[in-house]
């Protein structure tokens, strides 16, 4: 698959240019031009809001087909913790994971396994000197991108532990390497993804996030394989021991799941992209200075609300909580601390590079010109009706004014401005029609004499 | 070339609290001001906005953008501050109980503004109002 900057894309055939998605975009990345809702690549954070809202299903996420696994000798599925919330609790973990394996995989390892490692390592990472407080979770790649684009001053706060997904891939590859039956290149690891943001992470990893030992070879959408998993549930060989994660680990699928690993700290978890933006605003202006750890997840409820899941996010949450409750009653064995510590100290858990801001381009590199443009924008904004209806194809009147100054739109894109112009024109036309030219015969009048 | 942005803040106006600082932040980003400076201005602006809503009878925030300095002026009509030195001490606050319960008014406002600005001036007259002028180097 070609490298992608982001996974959300438009199916032009299906898009009617209805403008519904325009204002749902938290970074204002969408414009309707020529009747199609075009995404600005550099602003899209892959949160999936437009996928959820488009009434014509024209916004999609680029993920990989299951058939891709056939390119590899040894095929491993690593399903996101959210997978467990997609099925009724009458199906055991072993049953669900075995049904996934029966799709053609040689092995299934829950990403919750990596989540347990990352979760437990969090208490060490929390004390690392390099972070300003609050430490911000990197679990949701859409939120990480949001911070890069809209809250550039907070990029240093973002936790630089690798994701549970990457850690799971790494630990699986390490074990297989130690066993020695397959070359690293013969092993295909496939993430079963709840969302577009993670799919992007797989297909376009931040340069240092991955090396060949935590390589993930594809991202398959939960919803694409869901029907086949359901079919397999009742007639697959249930493999005992295939499931070995703790309730805390698979609860990463829920908002607040990660926070559970830092229980004795002042933690705050927020879900839903607009809520995350509001709270980051408060963090950025210094208001929430008592918070020590912040977990922000783009989807309502957390990853159970991902745009590529099937089950309703509240129902999925209930299933996960039910399972966690039952498991907790029968005692859960955590990963031994020494094991986590040895992985942590080996350095393989860390992203090496800093996460850098991707601040939006200023109006102009030269501040004087930028100020000039800002004034033009304000003058234009005054002229527009302030209804923010989106009919112009920009997400609001201010955005249209900005687009005009940037040379990307015209004043008459606003239907109200257009209507006024047409009215003025028709007044003028009327006036012109009233005027009689001395040399011209009157147009509509009958001749004044008759036979 | 210079540019000015101003906001009125009413007394007790917590619903829109933070709006002015958000707009200031966005504007400065569009003008290409560095993130570091934007952060300082947003922190100071936010404190100022809160002070207007909590302590004053209403007032206004004005941001002037020049080629190499930003000037943020926060001016109110209000009770004024009796003891400026005391008000500049961290932890001091005259915020009423209701306001504290909303999580505002920890008394960090003025010192926090001063710490973030490159230059900070405050004048206050009892029963008339307070004026704070802060400048930031771009
Ligand atoms: S919501 Fe957006 S993508 Fe969907 S049809 Fe309307 S304009 Fe097109
Ligand atoms: S909350 Fe989870 S599912 Fe939603 S965008 Fe973030 S990582 Fe993806």
């Amino acid at each position: 698959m070609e490298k992608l900057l982001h996974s959300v894309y438009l199916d032009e055939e299906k898009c009617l240019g209805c403008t519904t998605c325009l204002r749902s975009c938290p970074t204002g990345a969408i414009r309707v031009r020529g009747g199609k809702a075009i995404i600005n690549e550099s602003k899209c954070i892959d949160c999936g809001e437009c996928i959820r809202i488009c009434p014509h299903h024209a916004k999609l996420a680029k993920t990989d087909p299951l058939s891709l696994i056939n390119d590899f000798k040894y095929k491993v599925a690593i399903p996101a913790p959210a997978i467990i919330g997609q099925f009724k609790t009458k199906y055991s973990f072993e049953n669900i994971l075995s049904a996934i394996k029966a799709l053609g995989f040689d092995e299934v390892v829950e990403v919750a396994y990596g989540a347990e490692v990352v979760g437990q390592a969090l208490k060490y990472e929390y004390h690392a000197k390099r972070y300003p407080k609050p430490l911000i979770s990197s679990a949701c790649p859409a939120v990480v991108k949001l911070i890069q684009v809209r809250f550039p001053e907070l990029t240093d706060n973002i936790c630089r532990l690798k994701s549970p997904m990457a850690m799971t891939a790494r630990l699986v590859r390490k074990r297989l390497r130690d066993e020695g039956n397959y070359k690293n290149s013969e092993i295909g690891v496939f993430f079963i993804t709840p969302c577009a943001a993670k799919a992007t992470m797989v297909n376009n990893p931040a340069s240092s996030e991955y090396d060949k030992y935590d390589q993930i070879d594809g991202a398959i959408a939960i919803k694409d394989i869901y029907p086949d998993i359901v079919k397999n549930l009742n007639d697959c060989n249930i493999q005992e021991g295939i499931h070995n994660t703790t309730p805390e680990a698979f609860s990463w699928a829920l908002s607040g799941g990660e926070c559970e690993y830092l229980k004795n700290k002042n933690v705050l978890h927020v879900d839903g992209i607009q809520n995350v933006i509001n709270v980051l605003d408060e963090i950025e202006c210094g208001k929430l200075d008592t918070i020590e750890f912040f977990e922000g997840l783009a989807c309502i409820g957390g990853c159970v609300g991902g745009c590529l899941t099937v089950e309703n996010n509240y129902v999925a949450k209930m299933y996960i909580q039910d399972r966690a409750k039952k498991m907790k009653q029968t005692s859960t064995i955590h990963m031994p601390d020494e094991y986590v510590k040895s992985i942590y100290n080996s350095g393989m858990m860390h992203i090496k590079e800093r996460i850098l801001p991707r601040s939006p381009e200023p109006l102009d590199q030269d501040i004087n010109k930028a100020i000039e443009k800002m004034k033009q924008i304000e003058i234009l904004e005054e002229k527009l009706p302030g209804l923010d209806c989106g009919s112009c194809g920009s997400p609001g009147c201010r955005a249209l004014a900005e687009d005009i100054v940037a040379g990307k739109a015209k004043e008459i894109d606003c239907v109200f401005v257009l209507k006024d112009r047409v009215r003025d024109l028709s007044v003028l036309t009327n006036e012109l029609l009233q005027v009689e030219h001395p040399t011209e015969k009157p147009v509509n009048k009958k001749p004044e004499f008759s036979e | 070339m210079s540019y000015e942005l101003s906001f009125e803040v009413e007394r007790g106006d917590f619903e829109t609290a933070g709006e002015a600082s958000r707009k200031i932040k966005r504007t400065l980003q569009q003008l290409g001001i560095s993130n570091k400076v934007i952060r300082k201005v947003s922190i100071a602006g936010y404190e100022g906005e809160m002070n207007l809503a909590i302590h004053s009878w209403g007032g206004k925030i004005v941001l002037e953008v020049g080629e190499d300095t930003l000037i943020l002026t926060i001016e109110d009509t209000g009770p004024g501050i009796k003891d400026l030195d005391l008000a500049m001490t961290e932890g001091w606050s005259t915020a009423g109980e209701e306001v504290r319960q909303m999580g505002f008014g920890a008394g960090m406002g003025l010192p926090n503004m001063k710490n973030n600005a490159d230059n900070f001036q405050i004048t206050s007259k009892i029963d008339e109002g307070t004026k704070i002028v802060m400048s930031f180097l771009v």
Side-chain angles (χ1 to χ4, degrees), chain A residues 207-250:
Chain A
S207 57
S208 58
E209 164 90 351
Y210 295 76
D211 55 35
K212 64 180 178 173
Y213 295 118
D214 34 36
Q215 160 96 23
I216 298 175
D217 302 284
I220 300 168
I222 290 183
K223 73 174 176 55
D224 287 352
I225 52 171
Y226 179 81
D228 290 327
I229 302 176
V230 172
K231 273 182 233 151
N232 289 350
L233 276 174
N234 293 319
D235 54 2
C236 62
N237 285 328
I238 298 179
Q239 185 187 331
E240 292 306 320
I242 192 172
H243 160 70
N244 64 344
T245 56
T246 63
E248 285 81 0
F250 61 76

Short mmCIF file of all heavy atoms in Angstrom, two decimals, chain A residues 207-250:
data_model
loop_
_atom_site.label_atom_id
_atom_site.label_comp_id
_atom_site.label_asym_id
_atom_site.label_seq_id
_atom_site.Cartn_x
_atom_site.Cartn_y
_atom_site.Cartn_z
N SER A 207 8.24 8.74 11.66
CA SER A 207 9.48 8.13 11.18
C SER A 207 10.14 7.17 12.18
O SER A 207 10.61 6.11 11.81
CB SER A 207 10.45 9.21 10.78
OG SER A 207 10.67 10.05 11.88
N SER A 208 10.14 7.56 13.43
CA SER A 208 10.92 6.76 14.36
C SER A 208 10.07 5.78 15.16
O SER A 208 10.58 5.02 15.97
CB SER A 208 11.63 7.69 15.33
OG SER A 208 10.65 8.46 15.96
N GLU A 209 8.79 5.81 14.94
CA GLU A 209 7.92 4.94 15.73
C GLU A 209 8.24 3.48 15.51
O GLU A 209 8.22 2.67 16.40
CB GLU A 209 6.45 5.24 15.38
CG GLU A 209 5.45 4.19 15.82
CD GLU A 209 4.88 4.45 17.22
OE1 GLU A 209 5.39 5.34 17.92
OE2 GLU A 209 3.95 3.77 17.59
N TYR A 210 8.55 3.15 14.24
CA TYR A 210 8.73 1.75 13.91
C TYR A 210 10.11 1.48 13.36
O TYR A 210 10.68 2.30 12.68
CB TYR A 210 7.77 1.35 12.79
CG TYR A 210 6.34 1.41 13.16
CD1 TYR A 210 5.67 2.62 13.26
CD2 TYR A 210 5.63 0.24 13.43
CE1 TYR A 210 4.34 2.66 13.60
CE2 TYR A 210 4.30 0.28 13.77
CZ TYR A 210 3.66 1.49 13.84
OH TYR A 210 2.35 1.54 14.17
N ASP A 211 10.64 0.30 13.66
CA ASP A 211 11.71 -0.21 12.83
C ASP A 211 11.21 -1.56 12.37
O ASP A 211 10.04 -1.90 12.60
CB ASP A 211 13.03 -0.29 13.62
CG ASP A 211 12.89 -1.09 14.88
OD1 ASP A 211 12.12 -2.08 14.87
OD2 ASP A 211 13.53 -0.75 15.89
N LYS A 212 12.06 -2.35 11.71
CA LYS A 212 11.50 -3.56 11.12
C LYS A 212 11.02 -4.55 12.18
O LYS A 212 10.29 -5.47 11.88
CB LYS A 212 12.49 -4.20 10.16
CG LYS A 212 13.75 -4.70 10.80
CD LYS A 212 14.65 -5.32 9.75
CE LYS A 212 15.90 -5.75 10.47
NZ LYS A 212 16.86 -6.48 9.81
N TYR A 213 11.42 -4.34 13.43
CA TYR A 213 10.97 -5.27 14.47
C TYR A 213 9.67 -4.87 15.14
O TYR A 213 9.16 -5.59 15.98
CB TYR A 213 12.08 -5.51 15.50
CG TYR A 213 13.26 -6.20 14.86
CD1 TYR A 213 14.51 -5.60 14.82
CD2 TYR A 213 13.10 -7.45 14.26
CE1 TYR A 213 15.57 -6.24 14.19
CE2 TYR A 213 14.15 -8.10 13.63
CZ TYR A 213 15.39 -7.48 13.59
OH TYR A 213 16.43 -8.11 12.97
N ASP A 214 9.15 -3.70 14.81
CA ASP A 214 7.77 -3.49 15.24
C ASP A 214 6.89 -3.11 14.05
O ASP A 214 5.84 -2.51 14.18
CB ASP A 214 7.59 -2.51 16.41
CG ASP A 214 8.56 -1.37 16.43
OD1 ASP A 214 8.92 -0.89 15.34
OD2 ASP A 214 8.96 -0.96 17.51
N GLN A 215 7.36 -3.52 12.91
CA GLN A 215 6.63 -3.33 11.66
C GLN A 215 5.23 -3.95 11.72
O GLN A 215 5.05 -5.08 12.15
CB GLN A 215 7.45 -4.00 10.56
CG GLN A 215 6.72 -4.35 9.31
CD GLN A 215 6.90 -3.26 8.26
OE1 GLN A 215 7.87 -2.50 8.29
NE2 GLN A 215 5.96 -3.18 7.35
N ILE A 216 4.25 -3.18 11.27
CA ILE A 216 2.90 -3.72 11.11
C ILE A 216 2.58 -3.62 9.62
O ILE A 216 2.82 -2.59 8.99
CB ILE A 216 1.87 -2.92 11.95
CG1 ILE A 216 2.26 -3.06 13.43
CG2 ILE A 216 0.46 -3.44 11.72
CD1 ILE A 216 1.41 -2.24 14.36
N ASP A 217 2.09 -4.73 9.06
CA ASP A 217 2.03 -4.80 7.61
C ASP A 217 0.69 -4.37 7.02
O ASP A 217 0.56 -4.26 5.80
CB ASP A 217 2.36 -6.23 7.17
CG ASP A 217 3.74 -6.62 7.68
OD1 ASP A 217 4.72 -6.16 7.10
OD2 ASP A 217 3.82 -7.35 8.70
N GLY A 218 -0.28 -4.13 7.85
CA GLY A 218 -1.54 -3.68 7.31
C GLY A 218 -2.52 -3.39 8.44
O GLY A 218 -2.34 -3.83 9.58
N ALA A 219 -3.54 -2.60 8.11
CA ALA A 219 -4.60 -2.29 9.07
C ALA A 219 -5.92 -2.73 8.45
O ALA A 219 -6.30 -2.25 7.38
CB ALA A 219 -4.63 -0.80 9.38
N ILE A 220 -6.58 -3.66 9.10
CA ILE A 220 -7.85 -4.17 8.58
C ILE A 220 -8.97 -3.65 9.47
O ILE A 220 -8.90 -3.75 10.70
CB ILE A 220 -7.81 -5.73 8.60
CG1 ILE A 220 -6.64 -6.22 7.71
CG2 ILE A 220 -9.15 -6.30 8.12
CD1 ILE A 220 -6.33 -7.68 7.86
N ALA A 221 -10.00 -3.08 8.85
CA ALA A 221 -11.08 -2.46 9.63
C ALA A 221 -11.93 -3.53 10.32
O ALA A 221 -12.27 -4.54 9.72
CB ALA A 221 -11.96 -1.63 8.72
N ILE A 222 -12.26 -3.28 11.57
CA ILE A 222 -13.14 -4.20 12.30
C ILE A 222 -14.40 -4.48 11.49
O ILE A 222 -14.80 -5.61 11.27
CB ILE A 222 -13.53 -3.63 13.69
CG1 ILE A 222 -12.31 -3.63 14.62
CG2 ILE A 222 -14.68 -4.43 14.30
CD1 ILE A 222 -12.59 -3.15 16.04
N LYS A 223 -14.99 -3.41 10.95
CA LYS A 223 -16.29 -3.60 10.28
C LYS A 223 -16.18 -4.45 9.01
O LYS A 223 -17.13 -5.10 8.61
CB LYS A 223 -16.97 -2.26 10.00
CG LYS A 223 -16.37 -1.43 8.88
CD LYS A 223 -17.25 -0.22 8.65
CE LYS A 223 -16.69 0.74 7.63
NZ LYS A 223 -16.38 0.15 6.33
N ASP A 224 -14.99 -4.44 8.38
CA ASP A 224 -14.84 -5.24 7.17
C ASP A 224 -14.84 -6.74 7.44
O ASP A 224 -15.27 -7.53 6.59
CB ASP A 224 -13.54 -4.87 6.44
CG ASP A 224 -13.64 -3.51 5.76
OD1 ASP A 224 -14.76 -2.95 5.73
OD2 ASP A 224 -12.61 -3.02 5.26
N ILE A 225 -14.30 -7.14 8.61
CA ILE A 225 -14.23 -8.58 8.86
C ILE A 225 -15.27 -9.05 9.86
O ILE A 225 -15.41 -10.24 10.11
CB ILE A 225 -12.81 -9.00 9.35
CG1 ILE A 225 -12.37 -8.14 10.52
CG2 ILE A 225 -11.80 -8.91 8.21
CD1 ILE A 225 -11.08 -8.64 11.18
N TYR A 226 -16.03 -8.09 10.38
CA TYR A 226 -17.04 -8.43 11.40
C TYR A 226 -17.99 -9.55 10.95
O TYR A 226 -18.19 -10.54 11.68
CB TYR A 226 -17.80 -7.17 11.80
CG TYR A 226 -18.89 -7.38 12.81
CD1 TYR A 226 -18.59 -7.47 14.17
CD2 TYR A 226 -20.22 -7.50 12.41
CE1 TYR A 226 -19.59 -7.67 15.10
CE2 TYR A 226 -21.23 -7.71 13.34
CZ TYR A 226 -20.92 -7.78 14.68
OH TYR A 226 -21.92 -7.98 15.60
N PRO A 227 -18.58 -9.45 9.76
CA PRO A 227 -19.54 -10.50 9.37
C PRO A 227 -18.89 -11.89 9.37
O PRO A 227 -19.52 -12.86 9.80
CB PRO A 227 -19.94 -10.11 7.94
CG PRO A 227 -19.54 -8.69 7.77
CD PRO A 227 -18.43 -8.42 8.71
N ASP A 228 -17.65 -11.96 8.89
CA ASP A 228 -17.00 -13.26 8.85
C ASP A 228 -16.64 -13.78 10.24
O ASP A 228 -16.70 -14.98 10.49
CB ASP A 228 -15.74 -13.20 7.97
CG ASP A 228 -16.11 -13.03 6.50
OD1 ASP A 228 -17.17 -13.56 6.11
OD2 ASP A 228 -15.37 -12.35 5.78
N ILE A 229 -16.32 -12.87 11.13
CA ILE A 229 -16.05 -13.31 12.51
C ILE A 229 -17.34 -13.90 13.10
O ILE A 229 -17.34 -14.96 13.71
CB ILE A 229 -15.55 -12.15 13.41
CG1 ILE A 229 -14.29 -11.51 12.82
CG2 ILE A 229 -15.26 -12.64 14.83
CD1 ILE A 229 -13.78 -10.30 13.59
N VAL A 230 -18.44 -13.18 12.87
CA VAL A 230 -19.72 -13.64 13.40
C VAL A 230 -20.03 -15.05 12.89
O VAL A 230 -20.43 -15.94 13.64
CB VAL A 230 -20.86 -12.66 13.04
CG1 VAL A 230 -22.22 -13.23 13.42
CG2 VAL A 230 -20.64 -11.33 13.74
N LYS A 231 -19.79 -15.26 11.59
CA LYS A 231 -20.04 -16.59 11.03
C LYS A 231 -19.18 -17.65 11.70
O LYS A 231 -19.62 -18.76 11.94
CB LYS A 231 -19.75 -16.56 9.52
CG LYS A 231 -20.96 -16.14 8.69
CD LYS A 231 -20.63 -16.19 7.20
CE LYS A 231 -20.94 -14.86 6.56
NZ LYS A 231 -20.11 -14.55 5.40
N ASN A 232 -17.94 -17.30 11.98
CA ASN A 232 -17.01 -18.27 12.57
C ASN A 232 -17.30 -18.58 14.04
O ASN A 232 -16.86 -19.59 14.57
CB ASN A 232 -15.57 -17.76 12.48
CG ASN A 232 -15.06 -17.80 11.05
OD1 ASN A 232 -15.71 -18.38 10.18
ND2 ASN A 232 -13.91 -17.18 10.81
N LEU A 233 -17.99 -17.63 14.72
CA LEU A 233 -18.15 -17.77 16.17
C LEU A 233 -18.69 -19.14 16.58
O LEU A 233 -18.23 -19.73 17.55
CB LEU A 233 -19.08 -16.67 16.71
CG LEU A 233 -18.43 -15.32 16.99
CD1 LEU A 233 -19.50 -14.30 17.37
CD2 LEU A 233 -17.37 -15.42 18.08
N ASN A 234 -19.68 -19.61 15.80
CA ASN A 234 -20.33 -20.85 16.23
C ASN A 234 -19.69 -22.12 15.69
O ASN A 234 -20.03 -23.20 16.13
CB ASN A 234 -21.81 -20.80 15.86
CG ASN A 234 -22.52 -19.72 16.68
OD1 ASN A 234 -22.24 -19.59 17.89
ND2 ASN A 234 -23.37 -18.95 16.04
N ASP A 235 -18.82 -21.98 14.72
CA ASP A 235 -18.20 -23.22 14.25
C ASP A 235 -16.70 -23.10 14.01
O ASP A 235 -16.21 -23.34 12.93
CB ASP A 235 -18.91 -23.75 12.98
CG ASP A 235 -18.96 -22.68 11.90
OD1 ASP A 235 -18.43 -21.59 12.14
OD2 ASP A 235 -19.51 -22.97 10.82
N CYS A 236 -15.99 -22.65 15.03
CA CYS A 236 -14.53 -22.67 14.91
C CYS A 236 -13.98 -23.48 16.07
O CYS A 236 -14.65 -23.68 17.08
CB CYS A 236 -13.96 -21.26 14.92
SG CYS A 236 -14.29 -20.34 16.43
N ASN A 237 -12.74 -23.96 15.90
CA ASN A 237 -12.09 -24.65 17.01
C ASN A 237 -11.67 -23.64 18.05
O ASN A 237 -10.88 -22.74 17.76
CB ASN A 237 -10.83 -25.38 16.53
CG ASN A 237 -11.21 -26.62 15.77
OD1 ASN A 237 -12.23 -27.25 16.07
ND2 ASN A 237 -10.41 -26.96 14.77
N ILE A 238 -12.21 -23.77 19.24
CA ILE A 238 -11.85 -22.80 20.26
C ILE A 238 -10.52 -23.18 20.88
O ILE A 238 -10.36 -24.28 21.41
CB ILE A 238 -12.96 -22.68 21.32
CG1 ILE A 238 -14.24 -22.18 20.64
CG2 ILE A 238 -12.53 -21.75 22.44
CD1 ILE A 238 -15.42 -22.03 21.53
N GLN A 239 -9.57 -22.27 20.74
CA GLN A 239 -8.22 -22.56 21.22
C GLN A 239 -8.06 -22.05 22.65
O GLN A 239 -8.18 -20.85 22.91
CB GLN A 239 -7.21 -21.86 20.30
CG GLN A 239 -5.78 -22.18 20.62
CD GLN A 239 -4.83 -21.31 19.79
OE1 GLN A 239 -5.15 -20.89 18.68
NE2 GLN A 239 -3.65 -21.06 20.33
N GLU A 240 -7.81 -22.96 23.57
CA GLU A 240 -7.61 -22.55 24.96
C GLU A 240 -6.29 -21.77 25.06
O GLU A 240 -5.36 -22.02 24.30
CB GLU A 240 -7.57 -23.77 25.89
CG GLU A 240 -8.90 -24.50 26.03
CD GLU A 240 -10.07 -23.60 26.44
OE1 GLU A 240 -9.86 -22.73 27.31
OE2 GLU A 240 -11.17 -23.76 25.89
N GLY A 241 -6.23 -20.85 25.99
CA GLY A 241 -4.96 -20.14 26.22
C GLY A 241 -4.66 -19.04 25.21
O GLY A 241 -3.63 -18.38 25.27
N ILE A 242 -5.56 -18.86 24.27
CA ILE A 242 -5.32 -17.83 23.24
C ILE A 242 -5.48 -16.42 23.83
O ILE A 242 -4.93 -15.44 23.33
CB ILE A 242 -6.28 -18.05 22.03
CG1 ILE A 242 -5.85 -17.19 20.82
CG2 ILE A 242 -7.73 -17.77 22.40
CD1 ILE A 242 -6.65 -17.49 19.55
N HIS A 243 -6.22 -16.36 24.94
CA HIS A 243 -6.46 -15.05 25.56
C HIS A 243 -5.67 -14.93 26.85
O HIS A 243 -5.75 -15.80 27.72
CB HIS A 243 -7.97 -14.92 25.86
CG HIS A 243 -8.29 -13.88 26.88
ND1 HIS A 243 -8.16 -12.54 26.63
CD2 HIS A 243 -8.74 -13.99 28.16
CE1 HIS A 243 -8.51 -11.87 27.71
NE2 HIS A 243 -8.87 -12.72 28.65
N ASN A 244 -4.86 -13.89 26.96
CA ASN A 244 -4.13 -13.73 28.22
C ASN A 244 -3.94 -12.27 28.59
O ASN A 244 -2.83 -11.79 28.70
CB ASN A 244 -2.77 -14.44 28.17
CG ASN A 244 -1.85 -13.83 27.13
OD1 ASN A 244 -2.32 -13.08 26.28
ND2 ASN A 244 -0.57 -14.09 27.22
N THR A 245 -5.03 -11.56 28.68
CA THR A 245 -4.88 -10.16 29.09
C THR A 245 -5.74 -9.88 30.32
O THR A 245 -6.65 -10.64 30.64
CB THR A 245 -5.31 -9.20 27.96
OG1 THR A 245 -6.64 -9.53 27.59
CG2 THR A 245 -4.40 -9.32 26.77
N THR A 246 -5.43 -8.76 30.96
CA THR A 246 -6.13 -8.40 32.19
C THR A 246 -7.29 -7.46 31.88
O THR A 246 -7.31 -6.82 30.82
CB THR A 246 -5.18 -7.67 33.14
OG1 THR A 246 -4.78 -6.44 32.51
CG2 THR A 246 -3.95 -8.50 33.44
N PRO A 247 -8.25 -7.35 32.78
CA PRO A 247 -9.37 -6.41 32.57
C PRO A 247 -8.86 -4.99 32.39
O PRO A 247 -9.39 -4.24 31.56
CB PRO A 247 -10.18 -6.52 33.86
CG PRO A 247 -9.75 -7.76 34.51
CD PRO A 247 -8.38 -8.11 34.02
N GLU A 248 -7.82 -4.60 33.14
CA GLU A 248 -7.28 -3.24 32.99
C GLU A 248 -6.80 -3.04 31.55
O GLU A 248 -6.99 -1.99 30.96
CB GLU A 248 -6.10 -2.99 33.93
CG GLU A 248 -6.47 -2.79 35.39
CD GLU A 248 -6.72 -4.11 36.13
OE1 GLU A 248 -6.59 -5.19 35.49
OE2 GLU A 248 -7.06 -4.06 37.32
N ALA A 249 -6.17 -4.09 31.01
CA ALA A 249 -5.57 -3.96 29.68
C ALA A 249 -6.64 -3.82 28.61
O ALA A 249 -6.56 -2.92 27.77
CB ALA A 249 -4.67 -5.15 29.39
N PHE A 250 -7.66 -4.69 28.62
CA PHE A 250 -8.64 -4.52 27.53
C PHE A 250 -9.56 -3.34 27.77
O PHE A 250 -10.25 -2.89 26.88
CB PHE A 250 -9.37 -5.83 27.18
CG PHE A 250 -10.20 -6.46 28.26
CD1 PHE A 250 -11.43 -5.93 28.59
CD2 PHE A 250 -9.75 -7.61 28.91
CE1 PHE A 250 -12.21 -6.52 29.57
CE2 PHE A 250 -10.52 -8.20 29.90
CZ PHE A 250 -11.75 -7.65 30.24
#
